[in-house]
Amino acid sequence: MTRYEPMGLLGTGGQGRVYLVRDPDLDKKWAMKLVKKSQEGTIPPALQLIKGLSHPLLPRLVELVDRGSYWGVIFDFIEGESLDRSLERGVHWPEKT
């Protein structure tokens, strides 16, 4: 069992669902994306790539949690409105932004 407590659904997409979760030991919020495992149960190539990325403008991949037929991919949770929600509201950002 995982130590992360679910707090709600943040979004869905072609790759899976993303949840807001809380680590009660650290009293910290994280984003957890559920990614279906391959038939072999290995980590998908896209996650292998993300594991190697490090940039101040990207959320960190913190941990991979085995959730049975899914990987729970724990990322930094960044507060704020997503770009797609801003666009749905009719907000248009300057290219520089």
Side-chain angles (χ1 to χ4, degrees):
M1 194 57 149
T2 178
R3 71 176 184 266
Y4 299 101
E5 299 172 346
M7 297 180 67
L9 181 66
L10 292 172
T12 60
Q15 296 283 323
R17 294 175 177 245
V18 179
Y19 295 89
L20 178 63
V21 296
R22 179 179 166 273
D23 181 338
D25 295 335
L26 299 176
D27 192 26
K28 183 163 174 51
K29 294 177 186 175
W30 302 99
M32 179 172 71
K33 183 172 189 171
L34 293 180
V35 177
K36 190 157 184 64
K37 286 184 180 177
S38 67
Q39 288 183 344
E40 301 82 29
T42 58
I43 298 171
L47 287 181
Q48 291 287 2
L49 175 68
I50 291 169
K51 281 178 26 178
L53 297 178
S54 177
H55 190 278
L57 297 179
L58 293 175
R60 291 174 303 144
L61 187 155
V62 176
E63 184 177 8
L64 290 175
V65 179
D66 190 338
R67 304 277 301 174
S69 59
Y70 290 87
W71 289 106
V73 185
I74 308 297
F75 288 97
D76 287 319
F77 172 66
I78 301 170
E79 296 272 352
E81 184 175 53
S82 66
L83 177 59
D84 61 340
R85 290 208 178 112
S86 294
L87 294 173
E88 286 171 3
R89 290 188 309 106
V91 175
H92 296 283
W93 298 94
E95 185 176 333
K96 185 176 180 181
T97 303

Coordinates of all heavy atoms in Angstrom, one line a residue:
M1 N 0.9 -1.2 0.0 CA 0.0 0.0 0.0 C 0.9 1.2 0.0 O 2.0 1.3 0.6 CB -0.9 0.0 1.2 CG -2.0 1.0 1.2 SD -3.0 0.7 -0.3 CE -4.6 1.2 0.2
T2 N 0.4 2.2 -0.6 CA 1.2 3.5 -0.7 C 0.9 4.4 0.4 O -0.2 4.4 1.0 CB 0.9 4.2 -2.1 OG1 1.6 5.4 -2.2 CG2 -0.6 4.5 -2.3
R3 N 1.8 5.3 0.7 CA 1.6 6.2 1.8 C 0.9 7.5 1.3 O 0.5 8.3 2.1 CB 2.9 6.6 2.4 CG 3.8 7.5 1.5 CD 5.1 7.9 2.2 NE 5.9 8.8 1.4 CZ 6.9 8.4 0.7 NH1 7.2 7.1 0.5 NH2 7.6 9.3 0.0
Y4 N 0.6 7.6 0.0 CA 0.0 8.8 -0.5 C -1.5 8.8 -0.4 O -2.1 7.8 -0.8 CB 0.4 9.0 -2.0 CG 1.9 9.2 -2.2 CD1 2.7 8.1 -2.6 CD2 2.5 10.4 -1.9 CE1 4.0 8.2 -2.8 CE2 3.9 10.5 -2.0 CZ 4.6 9.4 -2.5 OH 6.0 9.6 -2.6
E5 N -2.1 9.9 0.2 CA -3.5 9.9 0.4 C -4.1 10.7 -0.8 O -3.7 11.9 -1.0 CB -3.8 10.7 1.7 CG -3.3 10.0 2.9 CD -3.5 10.8 4.2 OE1 -3.8 12.1 4.1 OE2 -3.3 10.3 5.3
P6 N -5.1 10.1 -1.5 CA -5.7 10.9 -2.6 C -6.5 12.1 -2.1 O -7.2 12.0 -1.1 CB -6.6 9.8 -3.2 CG -6.8 8.7 -2.2 CD -5.7 8.8 -1.3
M7 N -6.4 13.2 -2.8 CA -7.2 14.4 -2.5 C -8.1 14.8 -3.6 O -9.0 15.7 -3.3 CB -6.2 15.5 -2.2 CG -5.3 15.3 -1.0 SD -4.1 16.6 -0.7 CE -5.3 17.9 -0.1
G8 N -8.0 14.3 -4.8 CA -8.9 14.6 -5.9 C -8.2 14.5 -7.2 O -7.0 14.3 -7.3
L9 N -9.1 14.4 -8.2 CA -8.6 14.3 -9.6 C -8.2 15.7 -10.2 O -9.0 16.6 -10.1 CB -9.8 13.7 -10.5 CG -9.5 13.5 -11.9 CD1 -8.4 12.4 -12.1 CD2 -10.8 13.0 -12.6
L10 N -7.0 15.8 -10.7 CA -6.6 17.0 -11.3 C -6.9 17.1 -12.8 O -7.2 18.1 -13.4 CB -5.1 17.2 -11.1 CG -4.6 17.4 -9.7 CD1 -3.1 17.4 -9.7 CD2 -5.1 18.8 -9.2
G11 N -6.8 15.9 -13.5 CA -7.1 15.9 -14.9 C -7.0 14.5 -15.5 O -6.4 13.6 -14.9
T12 N -7.4 14.4 -16.8 CA -7.3 13.2 -17.5 C -6.8 13.5 -18.9 O -6.9 14.6 -19.4 CB -8.7 12.5 -17.7 OG1 -9.6 13.3 -18.4 CG2 -9.2 12.1 -16.3
G13 N -6.2 12.5 -19.5 CA -5.6 12.6 -20.9 C -5.4 11.3 -21.5 O -5.8 10.2 -20.9
G14 N -4.8 11.3 -22.7 CA -4.6 10.0 -23.4 C -3.6 9.1 -22.6 O -3.7 7.9 -22.8
Q15 N -2.8 9.6 -21.8 CA -1.8 8.8 -21.1 C -2.3 8.3 -19.7 O -1.7 7.4 -19.1 CB -0.5 9.5 -20.9 CG 0.2 9.9 -22.2 CD 0.9 8.7 -22.8 OE1 1.5 7.9 -22.1 NE2 0.9 8.6 -24.1
G16 N -3.4 8.8 -19.2 CA -3.9 8.4 -17.9 C -4.5 9.5 -17.2 O -4.9 10.6 -17.7
R17 N -4.7 9.3 -15.9 CA -5.3 10.3 -15.0 C -4.2 10.8 -14.0 O -3.3 10.1 -13.6 CB -6.4 9.6 -14.1 CG -7.6 9.1 -14.9 CD -8.6 8.4 -14.1 NE -9.7 8.0 -14.9 CZ -10.9 8.5 -14.7 NH1 -11.2 9.3 -13.7 NH2 -11.9 8.2 -15.5
V18 N -4.4 12.1 -13.6 CA -3.5 12.7 -12.7 C -4.3 13.1 -11.5 O -5.4 13.8 -11.6 CB -2.8 14.0 -13.3 CG1 -1.9 14.6 -12.3 CG2 -2.1 13.6 -14.6
Y19 N -3.8 12.7 -10.3 CA -4.5 13.0 -9.0 C -3.6 13.9 -8.2 O -2.4 13.8 -8.2 CB -4.7 11.7 -8.3 CG -5.7 10.8 -9.0 CD1 -5.3 9.8 -9.9 CD2 -7.1 10.9 -8.7 CE1 -6.1 9.0 -10.5 CE2 -8.0 10.0 -9.4 CZ -7.5 9.1 -10.3 OH -8.4 8.3 -10.9
L20 N -4.3 14.7 -7.3 CA -3.6 15.4 -6.3 C -3.5 14.5 -5.1 O -4.6 13.9 -4.7 CB -4.3 16.7 -5.9 CG -3.8 17.5 -4.8 CD1 -2.4 18.0 -5.1 CD2 -4.7 18.7 -4.4
V21 N -2.3 14.2 -4.6 CA -2.2 13.3 -3.4 C -1.4 14.1 -2.3 O -0.7 15.1 -2.6 CB -1.5 12.0 -3.8 CG1 -2.3 11.2 -4.8 CG2 -0.1 12.3 -4.4
R22 N -1.5 13.5 -1.1 CA -0.8 14.1 0.0 C 0.1 13.1 0.7 O -0.4 12.0 0.9 CB -1.8 14.7 1.0 CG -1.2 15.3 2.2 CD -2.3 15.9 3.1 NE -1.7 16.2 4.4 CZ -1.6 15.3 5.4 NH1 -2.1 14.1 5.3 NH2 -1.1 15.7 6.6
D23 N 1.3 13.4 1.0 CA 2.2 12.6 1.8 C 2.0 13.0 3.3 O 2.5 14.1 3.6 CB 3.6 12.7 1.4 CG 4.6 11.8 2.1 OD1 4.2 11.4 3.3 OD2 5.7 11.6 1.6
P24 N 1.3 12.3 4.1 CA 1.1 12.7 5.5 C 2.4 12.8 6.3 O 2.4 13.6 7.3 CB 0.1 11.7 6.1 CG 0.3 10.5 5.2 CD 0.7 11.0 3.8
D25 N 3.4 12.0 6.0 CA 4.6 12.1 6.8 C 5.3 13.4 6.6 O 5.9 14.0 7.5 CB 5.6 10.9 6.4 CG 5.0 9.6 6.7 OD1 4.2 9.5 7.7 OD2 5.4 8.6 6.1
L26 N 5.3 13.9 5.3 CA 5.9 15.2 5.0 C 5.0 16.4 5.0 O 5.4 17.5 4.9 CB 6.6 15.1 3.6 CG 7.7 14.1 3.5 CD1 8.2 14.1 2.0 CD2 8.8 14.4 4.4
D27 N 3.7 16.1 5.1 CA 2.6 17.1 5.0 C 2.8 17.9 3.7 O 2.9 19.1 3.8 CB 2.5 18.0 6.2 CG 1.2 18.8 6.2 OD1 0.2 18.4 5.6 OD2 1.3 19.9 6.8
K28 N 3.0 17.2 2.6 CA 3.3 17.8 1.3 C 2.4 17.2 0.3 O 2.0 16.1 0.3 CB 4.7 17.6 1.0 CG 5.2 18.2 -0.3 CD 6.7 18.3 -0.4 CE 7.2 18.8 -1.7 NZ 6.6 20.0 -2.2
K29 N 1.9 18.1 -0.7 CA 1.1 17.7 -1.8 C 2.0 17.4 -3.0 O 3.0 18.0 -3.2 CB 0.2 18.8 -2.2 CG -0.9 19.2 -1.2 CD -1.7 20.4 -1.6 CE -2.6 20.8 -0.6 NZ -3.4 22.1 -1.0
W30 N 1.5 16.3 -3.7 CA 2.2 15.9 -4.9 C 1.2 15.7 -6.0 O 0.0 15.5 -5.7 CB 3.0 14.6 -4.7 CG 4.0 14.6 -3.6 CD1 3.8 14.2 -2.4 CD2 5.3 15.1 -3.7 NE1 5.0 14.4 -1.7 CE2 5.9 15.0 -2.5 CE3 6.1 15.7 -4.8 CZ2 7.2 15.3 -2.2 CZ3 7.4 16.1 -4.5 CH2 8.0 15.9 -3.2
A31 N 1.6 15.6 -7.2 CA 0.7 15.1 -8.3 C 1.1 13.7 -8.6 O 2.3 13.3 -8.6 CB 0.9 16.0 -9.6
M32 N 0.1 12.8 -8.8 CA 0.4 11.4 -9.1 C -0.3 11.0 -10.4 O -1.5 11.1 -10.4 CB 0.0 10.4 -8.0 CG 0.2 9.0 -8.4 SD -0.1 7.8 -7.0 CE -1.8 7.8 -6.9
K33 N 0.4 10.7 -11.4 CA -0.1 10.2 -12.7 C -0.1 8.7 -12.7 O 0.9 8.1 -12.4 CB 0.7 10.8 -13.8 CG 0.2 10.4 -15.2 CD 0.9 11.1 -16.3 CE 0.2 11.0 -17.6 NZ 0.8 11.8 -18.6
L34 N -1.2 8.1 -13.0 CA -1.3 6.7 -13.1 C -1.1 6.3 -14.6 O -1.8 6.8 -15.5 CB -2.7 6.2 -12.7 CG -3.0 6.3 -11.2 CD1 -4.4 5.8 -10.9 CD2 -1.9 5.6 -10.4
V35 N -0.1 5.5 -14.8 CA 0.3 5.1 -16.2 C 0.3 3.6 -16.2 O 0.9 2.9 -15.4 CB 1.8 5.5 -16.5 CG1 2.2 5.0 -17.9 CG2 1.9 7.1 -16.4
K36 N -0.5 3.0 -17.2 CA -0.7 1.6 -17.3 C 0.7 0.9 -17.6 O 1.5 1.4 -18.4 CB -1.7 1.3 -18.4 CG -2.1 -0.2 -18.5 CD -3.4 -0.3 -19.2 CE -3.9 -1.7 -19.2 NZ -4.2 -2.2 -17.9
K37 N 0.9 -0.2 -16.9 CA 2.2 -0.9 -17.2 C 2.1 -1.6 -18.5 O 1.0 -2.0 -19.0 CB 2.3 -2.0 -16.1 CG 2.8 -1.4 -14.7 CD 3.0 -2.6 -13.8 CE 3.4 -2.1 -12.4 NZ 3.6 -3.2 -11.5
S38 N 3.3 -1.9 -19.1 CA 3.4 -2.7 -20.3 C 3.1 -4.2 -19.9 O 3.0 -4.5 -18.7 CB 4.8 -2.6 -20.8 OG 5.7 -3.2 -20.0
Q39 N 2.9 -5.0 -20.8 CA 2.6 -6.4 -20.6 C 3.7 -7.1 -19.8 O 3.5 -7.9 -19.0 CB 2.4 -7.2 -21.9 CG 1.1 -6.9 -22.5 CD 0.9 -7.7 -23.8 OE1 1.8 -8.3 -24.3 NE2 -0.4 -7.7 -24.2
E40 N 5.0 -6.6 -20.0 CA 6.1 -7.1 -19.2 C 6.2 -6.5 -17.8 O 7.0 -6.9 -17.0 CB 7.4 -6.8 -20.0 CG 7.5 -7.4 -21.4 CD 6.8 -6.5 -22.4 OE1 6.7 -5.3 -22.2 OE2 6.2 -7.1 -23.4
G41 N 5.4 -5.5 -17.6 CA 5.5 -4.8 -16.3 C 6.6 -3.8 -16.1 O 6.9 -3.4 -15.0
T42 N 7.3 -3.5 -17.2 CA 8.4 -2.6 -17.2 C 8.0 -1.2 -17.3 O 6.9 -0.9 -17.6 CB 9.4 -2.9 -18.4 OG1 8.7 -2.8 -19.6 CG2 10.0 -4.3 -18.3
I43 N 8.9 -0.3 -17.0 CA 8.7 1.1 -17.0 C 8.6 1.6 -18.5 O 9.6 1.3 -19.3 CB 9.7 1.9 -16.3 CG1 9.7 1.5 -14.8 CG2 9.5 3.4 -16.4 CD1 10.9 2.0 -14.0
P44 N 7.5 2.2 -18.9 CA 7.4 2.7 -20.3 C 8.6 3.6 -20.7 O 9.1 4.3 -19.9 CB 6.1 3.4 -20.4 CG 5.4 3.0 -19.2 CD 6.4 2.6 -18.2
P45 N 9.0 3.6 -22.0 CA 10.1 4.4 -22.5 C 9.9 5.9 -22.2 O 10.9 6.6 -21.9 CB 10.1 4.1 -24.0 CG 9.5 2.8 -24.2 CD 8.5 2.7 -23.1
A46 N 8.7 6.4 -22.3 CA 8.5 7.8 -22.0 C 8.9 8.1 -20.5 O 9.4 9.2 -20.3 CB 7.0 8.2 -22.2
L47 N 8.6 7.2 -19.6 CA 8.9 7.5 -18.2 C 10.4 7.3 -18.0 O 11.0 8.1 -17.2 CB 8.2 6.5 -17.3 CG 6.7 6.7 -17.1 CD1 6.2 5.7 -16.1 CD2 6.5 8.2 -16.5
Q48 N 11.1 6.4 -18.8 CA 12.5 6.3 -18.7 C 13.2 7.6 -19.1 O 14.1 8.1 -18.5 CB 13.0 5.2 -19.6 CG 12.7 3.8 -19.2 CD 13.5 3.4 -18.0 OE1 14.3 4.1 -17.4 NE2 13.2 2.1 -17.5
L49 N 12.6 8.3 -20.2 CA 13.1 9.6 -20.6 C 12.9 10.6 -19.6 O 13.9 11.4 -19.2 CB 12.4 10.0 -21.9 CG 12.8 11.3 -22.5 CD1 14.2 11.4 -22.9 CD2 11.8 11.7 -23.6
I50 N 11.7 10.7 -19.0 CA 11.4 11.7 -18.0 C 12.3 11.6 -16.8 O 12.7 12.6 -16.2 CB 9.9 11.7 -17.6 CG1 9.1 12.1 -18.8 CG2 9.6 12.5 -16.4 CD1 7.6 11.8 -18.6
K51 N 12.6 10.3 -16.4 CA 13.5 10.1 -15.2 C 14.8 10.8 -15.4 O 15.4 11.2 -14.4 CB 13.8 8.6 -15.0 CG 12.6 7.9 -14.4 CD 12.9 6.4 -14.2 CE 14.3 5.9 -14.2 NZ 14.5 4.5 -14.0
G52 N 15.3 11.0 -16.6 CA 16.6 11.6 -16.8 C 16.6 13.1 -17.0 O 17.6 13.7 -17.1
L53 N 15.4 13.7 -17.0 CA 15.3 15.1 -17.2 C 15.5 15.9 -15.9 O 15.0 15.5 -14.9 CB 14.0 15.5 -17.8 CG 13.7 14.9 -19.2 CD1 12.3 15.4 -19.7 CD2 14.7 15.4 -20.2
S54 N 16.2 17.0 -16.0 CA 16.3 17.9 -14.9 C 16.4 19.3 -15.4 O 17.4 19.7 -16.1 CB 17.6 17.5 -14.1 OG 17.8 18.4 -13.0
H55 N 15.4 20.1 -15.1 CA 15.4 21.5 -15.5 C 14.5 22.3 -14.5 O 13.5 21.8 -14.0 CB 14.8 21.6 -16.9 CG 14.9 22.9 -17.5 ND1 14.1 24.0 -17.2 CD2 15.8 23.4 -18.4 CE1 14.4 25.0 -17.9 NE2 15.5 24.7 -18.6
P56 N 14.9 23.5 -14.2 CA 14.2 24.3 -13.2 C 12.8 24.6 -13.6 O 11.9 24.9 -12.7 CB 15.0 25.6 -13.0 CG 16.1 25.6 -14.0 CD 16.1 24.2 -14.6
L57 N 12.4 24.5 -14.8 CA 11.0 24.8 -15.3 C 10.2 23.6 -15.5 O 9.0 23.7 -15.9 CB 11.1 25.7 -16.6 CG 11.7 27.0 -16.5 CD1 11.7 27.7 -17.8 CD2 11.0 27.9 -15.4
L58 N 10.7 22.4 -15.1 CA 10.0 21.2 -15.2 C 9.7 20.6 -13.8 O 10.6 20.7 -13.0 CB 10.8 20.1 -16.0 CG 11.0 20.4 -17.5 CD1 11.9 19.3 -18.1 CD2 9.7 20.4 -18.2
P59 N 8.5 20.0 -13.6 CA 8.3 19.3 -12.3 C 9.2 18.1 -12.2 O 9.5 17.5 -13.2 CB 6.9 18.9 -12.4 CG 6.5 19.0 -13.8 CD 7.4 19.9 -14.5
R60 N 9.7 17.9 -11.0 CA 10.6 16.7 -10.8 C 9.8 15.4 -10.7 O 8.7 15.4 -10.1 CB 11.3 16.8 -9.5 CG 12.4 17.9 -9.4 CD 12.9 18.0 -8.0 NE 11.9 18.3 -7.1 CZ 11.8 17.8 -5.8 NH1 12.7 17.0 -5.4 NH2 10.8 18.1 -5.0
L61 N 10.3 14.4 -11.3 CA 9.7 13.0 -11.0 C 10.4 12.6 -9.7 O 11.6 12.4 -9.6 CB 10.1 12.1 -12.2 CG 9.4 10.7 -12.1 CD1 9.4 10.1 -13.5 CD2 10.1 9.8 -11.2
V62 N 9.5 12.4 -8.7 CA 10.0 12.1 -7.4 C 10.1 10.6 -7.1 O 11.1 10.2 -6.5 CB 9.1 12.8 -6.3 CG1 9.5 12.5 -4.9 CG2 9.0 14.3 -6.6
E63 N 9.1 9.9 -7.6 CA 9.1 8.5 -7.2 C 8.2 7.7 -8.2 O 7.2 8.3 -8.7 CB 8.5 8.3 -5.8 CG 8.5 6.9 -5.2 CD 8.0 6.9 -3.8 OE1 7.6 7.9 -3.2 OE2 8.1 5.8 -3.2
L64 N 8.5 6.4 -8.4 CA 7.6 5.5 -9.1 C 7.0 4.5 -8.1 O 7.8 3.9 -7.3 CB 8.3 4.8 -10.2 CG 8.7 5.6 -11.4 CD1 9.6 4.7 -12.3 CD2 7.6 6.1 -12.1
V65 N 5.7 4.4 -8.0 CA 5.0 3.6 -7.0 C 4.3 2.5 -7.8 O 3.5 2.8 -8.7 CB 4.0 4.4 -6.2 CG1 3.3 3.5 -5.2 CG2 4.7 5.5 -5.5
D66 N 4.6 1.2 -7.4 CA 3.9 0.1 -8.0 C 2.5 0.0 -7.5 O 2.2 -0.1 -6.3 CB 4.6 -1.2 -7.7 CG 4.2 -2.4 -8.5 OD1 3.0 -2.4 -9.0 OD2 4.9 -3.4 -8.6
R67 N 1.5 0.2 -8.5 CA 0.1 0.2 -8.1 C -0.6 -1.0 -8.8 O -1.7 -0.8 -9.3 CB -0.6 1.5 -8.5 CG 0.1 2.8 -8.0 CD -0.4 3.1 -6.6 NE -1.8 3.3 -6.6 CZ -2.6 3.5 -5.6 NH1 -2.0 3.5 -4.4 NH2 -3.9 3.6 -5.7
G68 N 0.0 -2.1 -8.9 CA -0.6 -3.3 -9.5 C -0.4 -3.2 -11.0 O 0.7 -3.4 -11.5
S69 N -1.5 -2.9 -11.8 CA -1.4 -2.9 -13.2 C -1.0 -1.5 -13.7 O -0.9 -1.2 -14.9 CB -2.7 -3.3 -13.9 OG -3.7 -2.5 -13.5
Y70 N -0.7 -0.6 -12.8 CA -0.3 0.8 -13.1 C 0.9 1.2 -12.3 O 1.2 0.7 -11.3 CB -1.4 1.8 -12.7 CG -2.6 1.7 -13.6 CD1 -3.7 0.8 -13.3 CD2 -2.8 2.5 -14.7 CE1 -4.8 0.7 -14.1 CE2 -3.9 2.4 -15.5 CZ -4.9 1.5 -15.2 OH -6.0 1.5 -16.0
W71 N 1.7 2.2 -12.9 CA 2.7 2.9 -12.2 C 2.1 4.2 -11.7 O 1.4 4.9 -12.4 CB 3.9 3.2 -13.1 CG 4.7 2.0 -13.5 CD1 4.7 1.5 -14.7 CD2 5.6 1.3 -12.7 NE1 5.6 0.4 -14.7 CE2 6.2 0.3 -13.5 CE3 6.0 1.4 -11.4 CZ2 7.1 -0.6 -13.0 CZ3 6.9 0.5 -10.9 CH2 7.5 -0.5 -11.7
G72 N 2.3 4.5 -10.4 CA 2.0 5.8 -9.8 C 3.2 6.6 -10.0 O 4.2 6.4 -9.3
V73 N 3.2 7.6 -10.8 CA 4.3 8.5 -11.1 C 4.1 9.7 -10.2 O 3.2 10.5 -10.5 CB 4.4 8.8 -12.6 CG1 5.7 9.6 -12.8 CG2 4.4 7.6 -13.4
I74 N 5.0 9.9 -9.2 CA 4.9 11.0 -8.3 C 5.7 12.2 -8.8 O 6.9 12.1 -9.0 CB 5.3 10.7 -6.9 CG1 4.6 9.4 -6.4 CG2 5.1 11.8 -5.9 CD1 3.1 9.5 -6.3
F75 N 5.0 13.4 -9.0 CA 5.7 14.6 -9.5 C 5.5 15.7 -8.5 O 4.6 15.7 -7.7 CB 5.0 15.0 -10.8 CG 5.3 14.2 -12.1 CD1 4.4 13.2 -12.5 CD2 6.5 14.4 -12.8 CE1 4.7 12.5 -13.6 CE2 6.7 13.7 -13.9 CZ 5.8 12.7 -14.4
D76 N 6.3 16.7 -8.7 CA 6.0 18.0 -8.0 C 4.6 18.5 -8.3 O 4.3 18.4 -9.5 CB 7.0 19.1 -8.3 CG 8.4 18.9 -7.8 OD1 8.5 18.5 -6.6 OD2 9.4 19.1 -8.5
F77 N 3.9 18.9 -7.4 CA 2.6 19.6 -7.6 C 2.8 21.1 -7.7 O 3.4 21.7 -6.8 CB 1.6 19.3 -6.6 CG 0.3 20.0 -6.7 CD1 -0.5 19.9 -7.8 CD2 -0.1 21.0 -5.8 CE1 -1.7 20.6 -7.9 CE2 -1.2 21.7 -5.9 CZ -2.0 21.5 -7.0
I78 N 2.4 21.7 -8.8 CA 2.6 23.1 -9.0 C 1.3 23.8 -8.9 O 0.4 23.5 -9.7 CB 3.3 23.4 -10.4 CG1 4.7 22.7 -10.4 CG2 3.5 24.9 -10.6 CD1 5.4 22.7 -11.7
E79 N 1.1 24.7 -7.9 CA -0.2 25.4 -7.7 C -0.4 26.3 -8.9 O 0.5 26.8 -9.5 CB -0.1 26.2 -6.4 CG 0.0 25.4 -5.2 CD -1.3 25.0 -4.6 OE1 -2.4 25.4 -5.0 OE2 -1.2 24.2 -3.6
G80 N -1.7 26.5 -9.2 CA -2.1 27.4 -10.3 C -3.0 26.8 -11.3 O -3.3 25.7 -11.2
E81 N -3.3 27.7 -12.2 CA -4.2 27.2 -13.3 C -3.4 26.7 -14.5 O -2.4 27.2 -14.8 CB -5.1 28.5 -13.8 CG -6.1 28.1 -14.8 CD -7.0 29.3 -15.2 OE1 -6.4 30.4 -15.5 OE2 -8.2 29.2 -15.1
S82 N -3.9 25.6 -15.1 CA -3.2 25.0 -16.2 C -3.4 25.9 -17.4 O -4.4 26.6 -17.5 CB -3.7 23.6 -16.4 OG -5.1 23.6 -16.9
L83 N -2.6 25.7 -18.4 CA -2.7 26.5 -19.6 C -4.0 26.2 -20.4 O -4.6 27.1 -20.9 CB -1.5 26.1 -20.6 CG -1.5 26.8 -21.9 CD1 -1.5 28.3 -21.8 CD2 -0.3 26.4 -22.7
D84 N -4.3 24.9 -20.4 CA -5.6 24.5 -21.1 C -6.8 25.2 -20.5 O -7.7 25.6 -21.2 CB -5.7 23.0 -21.3 CG -5.8 22.3 -20.0 OD1 -5.4 22.8 -19.0 OD2 -6.3 21.1 -20.1
R85 N -6.8 25.3 -19.2 CA -8.0 25.9 -18.5 C -8.0 27.4 -18.8 O -9.0 28.0 -18.9 CB -8.0 25.6 -17.0 CG -8.3 24.2 -16.7 CD -8.9 23.9 -15.4 NE -9.2 22.5 -15.3 CZ -8.6 21.7 -14.4 NH1 -7.7 22.2 -13.6 NH2 -9.0 20.4 -14.3
S86 N -6.8 28.0 -18.8 CA -6.7 29.5 -19.2 C -7.3 29.7 -20.6 O -8.1 30.7 -20.8 CB -5.3 30.0 -19.1 OG -4.8 29.9 -17.8
L87 N -6.9 28.9 -21.5 CA -7.4 29.0 -22.9 C -8.9 28.8 -23.0 O -9.6 29.5 -23.7 CB -6.6 28.1 -23.8 CG -5.1 28.4 -24.0 CD1 -4.4 27.3 -24.8 CD2 -4.9 29.7 -24.6
E88 N -9.4 27.8 -22.2 CA -10.8 27.6 -22.2 C -11.6 28.8 -21.7 O -12.7 29.1 -22.2 CB -11.2 26.4 -21.3 CG -10.8 25.0 -21.9 CD -11.0 23.9 -20.9 OE1 -11.4 24.1 -19.8 OE2 -10.6 22.8 -21.3
R89 N -11.0 29.6 -20.8 CA -11.6 30.8 -20.3 C -11.5 32.0 -21.2 O -12.0 33.0 -21.0 CB -11.0 31.2 -18.9 CG -11.4 30.2 -17.8 CD -10.9 30.8 -16.4 NE -9.6 31.2 -16.3 CZ -9.1 32.5 -16.2 NH1 -10.0 33.4 -16.3 NH2 -7.8 32.7 -16.1
G90 N -10.7 31.8 -22.3 CA -10.6 32.8 -23.3 C -9.3 33.7 -23.0 O -9.2 34.7 -23.7
V91 N -8.5 33.3 -22.1 CA -7.2 34.0 -21.9 C -6.3 33.8 -23.0 O -6.1 32.6 -23.4 CB -6.6 33.6 -20.5 CG1 -5.3 34.3 -20.3 CG2 -7.6 34.0 -19.4
H92 N -5.7 34.8 -23.5 CA -4.7 34.7 -24.6 C -3.4 35.2 -24.1 O -3.3 36.4 -23.7 CB -5.1 35.4 -25.9 CG -6.3 34.7 -26.5 ND1 -6.3 33.6 -27.2 CD2 -7.6 35.1 -26.4 CE1 -7.5 33.2 -27.5 NE2 -8.4 34.2 -27.1
W93 N -2.4 34.4 -24.1 CA -1.1 34.8 -23.5 C -0.2 35.3 -24.6 O -0.1 34.7 -25.7 CB -0.4 33.6 -22.8 CG -1.2 33.1 -21.7 CD1 -2.1 32.1 -21.7 CD2 -1.1 33.6 -20.4 NE1 -2.6 31.9 -20.5 CE2 -2.0 32.8 -19.6 CE3 -0.4 34.6 -19.7 CZ2 -2.3 33.0 -18.2 CZ3 -0.6 34.8 -18.3 CH2 -1.5 34.0 -17.6
P94 N 0.6 36.4 -24.4 CA 1.6 36.8 -25.4 C 2.6 35.7 -25.6 O 2.9 34.9 -24.7 CB 2.3 38.0 -24.7 CG 1.4 38.4 -23.6 CD 0.6 37.2 -23.2
E95 N 3.1 35.6 -26.8 CA 4.1 34.6 -27.1 C 5.2 34.5 -26.2 O 5.7 33.5 -25.8 CB 4.5 34.7 -28.6 CG 5.4 33.6 -29.0 CD 5.8 33.7 -30.5 OE1 5.1 34.3 -31.3 OE2 6.9 33.2 -30.8
K96 N 5.7 35.7 -25.8 CA 6.9 35.7 -24.9 C 6.6 35.1 -23.5 O 7.4 34.4 -23.0 CB 7.3 37.2 -24.7 CG 8.6 37.4 -23.9 CD 9.0 38.8 -23.8 CE 10.2 38.9 -22.9 NZ 10.7 40.3 -22.8
T97 N 5.4 35.3 -23.1 CA 5.0 34.6 -21.8 C 4.9 33.1 -21.9 O 5.3 32.4 -21.1 CB 3.6 35.2 -21.3 OG1 3.7 36.6 -21.2 CG2 3.2 34.6 -20.0

